[in-house]
Amino acid sequence: MNIGLTGGIAAGKSTVADLLVRKGALLVDLDRIAREIVEPGQPALERIAERFGQAVLQADGTLDRKKLGAMVFADPDKRKALEQITHPAIRAVMKERMEANRLAAPDRLTVVDVPLLYESGLASYFEKVLVVYVPRRTQLERLIARDKLSPEEAEIRLNAQMDIEEKKKRADYVIDNGGSLEETERQVDAFWREMGLA
């Protein structure tokens, strides 16, 4: 079975993904895939450099993620242009890995960590969607602390995603990650039992 795992930026998806992996789930991480498809020599990186200019590449030929991020988060048209390059490549690798997991371990849960699951129209790929939730204010505080952003920069990034409350409404399951790690672990355990995996 394939579960889509999503939530807002800085909500703690990685924490929940790690807890599920510890319980025996297999993980397909789209953030990791997104980094792989823009490594030197990959077609997506070449297309990004063509579209956004050589300035988005560092001296060693790797992507300057911070520079590109500043460019695309400030301009919806540029963000859309970037997504048109990266999303098909990411989706192709995601499908390959989901299928490989299904063939190798058909009885195990595959958790696919998709930051922009709803925004990218990927919900139909999964039997169920699990949203990791924290209130927007908590997201903002965590994002500022984690990525060393100004409040204004953090707001721009939050506004580039679907509102966390809307994601919560659409979810099949919700893990509230606003409390302690123990509280999150209890909710993950309950989810695991509800899925019939305990």
Side-chain angles (χ1 to χ4, degrees), residues 87-104:
H87 285 190
I90 293 167
R91 203 168 290 189
V93 176
M94 176 191 83
K95 289 197 282 194
E96 279 171 22
R97 294 193 182 163
M98 286 166 63
E99 180 62 8
N101 286 351
R102 187 186 68 77
L103 293 171

Side-chain angles (χ1 to χ4, degrees), residues 65-82:
R65 299 174 72 82
K66 203 167 178 82
K67 197 173 279 183
L68 181 63
M71 224 183 257
V72 301
F73 280 112
D75 184 331
D77 291 333
K78 286 183 178 170
R79 193 168 68 243
K80 193 178 251 351
L82 178 64

Side-chain angles (χ1 to χ4, degrees), residues 66 139-158:
K66 203 167 178 82
Q139 270 186 286
L140 199 58
E141 289 166 0
R142 288 182 182 178
L143 186 56
I144 290 166
R146 185 189 78 185
D147 292 359
K148 314 277 186 285
L149 300 174
S150 70
E152 296 75 26
E153 289 170 320
E155 281 285 355
I156 288 169
R157 294 196 178 207
L158 279 188

Side-chain angles (χ1 to χ4, degrees), residues 25-60:
L26 299 170
L27 179 65
V28 176
D29 181 342
L30 265 64
D31 271 344
R32 189 172 300 146
I33 293 171
R35 285 191 293 276
E36 289 170 16
I37 62 130
V38 294
E39 286 174 357
Q42 293 294 322
L45 181 61
E46 291 167 24
R47 291 186 58 209
I48 289 167
E50 282 168 21
R51 172 64 180 79
F52 296 97
Q54 295 297 310
V56 299
L57 298 180
Q58 300 188 82
D60 64 357

Side-chain angles (χ1 to χ4, degrees), residues 142-189:
R142 288 182 182 178
L143 186 56
I144 290 166
R146 185 189 78 185
D147 292 359
K148 314 277 186 285
L149 300 174
S150 70
E152 296 75 26
E153 289 170 320
E155 281 285 355
I156 288 169
R157 294 196 178 207
L158 279 188
N159 291 336
Q161 294 190 350
M162 180 185 288
D163 184 71
I164 190 78
E165 299 299 333
E166 180 59 28
K167 290 183 181 188
K168 184 179 178 183
K169 272 188 234 162
R170 294 186 185 196
D172 296 299
Y173 301 97
V174 175
I175 302 271
D176 187 326
N177 194 34
S180 68
L181 181 59
E182 291 73 23
E183 288 166 336
T184 299
E185 285 173 342
R186 276 197 294 277
Q187 292 173 74
V188 168
D189 288 346

